[in-house]
């Protein structure tokens, strides 16, 4: 992510991925905060990067469950964020960006 290489990040996601985020709701209100499919996820992330050119993440911790991964990080505003990823094999089928109030 810190290199802003959306295509590299997308290699880890299924074509039919579903991703939810309050940031998506803010940037793309028509989605209701839920993005369906890899192409739409690409559009969302590309839009987000265009609005925040200094975007970077500092990893805090990674938690592994059964077919789940939670990545805890600080964003460019020093806010704590959790990204919850559900896997189908090696690829993410569902993801959720979660933020503290």
């Amino acid at each position: 992510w810190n290199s802003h290489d959306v295509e590299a990040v997308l290699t880890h996601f299924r074509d039919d991925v579903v991703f939810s985020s309050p940031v998506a709701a803010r940037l793309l209100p028509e989605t209701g905060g839920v993005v369906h499919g890899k192409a739409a996820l690409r559009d969302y992330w590309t839009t987000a990067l265009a609005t925040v050119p200094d975007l970077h993440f500092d990893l805090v911790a990674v938690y592994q469950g059964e077919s789940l991964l939670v990545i805890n990080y600080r964003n460019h505003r020093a806010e704590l964020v959790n990204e919850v990823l559900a896997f189908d094999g090696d690829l993410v089928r569902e993801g959720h960006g979660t933020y503290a109030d």
Side-chain angles (χ1 to χ4, degrees):
W1 261 118
N2 287 342
S3 68
H4 296 186
D5 188 346
V6 171
E7 292 306 317
V9 176
L10 284 170
T11 63
H12 302 283
F13 291 78
R14 289 173 43 126
D15 289 338
D16 61 348
V17 65
V18 175
F19 193 89
S20 72
S21 169
V23 176
R26 188 177 72 246
L27 291 177
L28 304 169
E30 68 279 6
T31 67
V34 181
V35 178
H36 296 269
K38 190 185 278 193
L41 189 56
R42 177 184 292 110
D43 291 342
Y44 160 48
W45 285 342
T46 302
T47 300
L49 283 171
T51 63
V52 187
D54 64 336
L55 182 73
H56 68 276
F57 303 136
D58 294 314
L59 185 63
V60 174
V62 177
Y63 307 92
Q64 183 176 345
E66 295 303 319
S67 301
L68 290 173
L69 195 65
V70 177
I71 304 170
N72 179 234
Y73 61 89
R74 288 194 184 276
N75 64 16
H76 60 290
R77 292 186 295 247
E79 300 166 328
L80 281 173
V81 180
N82 285 307
E83 196 155 304
V84 181
L85 305 171
F87 285 79
D88 193 5
D90 292 339
L91 297 176
V92 176
R93 67 174 163 76
E94 187 175 327
H96 306 278
T98 62
Y99 297 77
D101 286 341

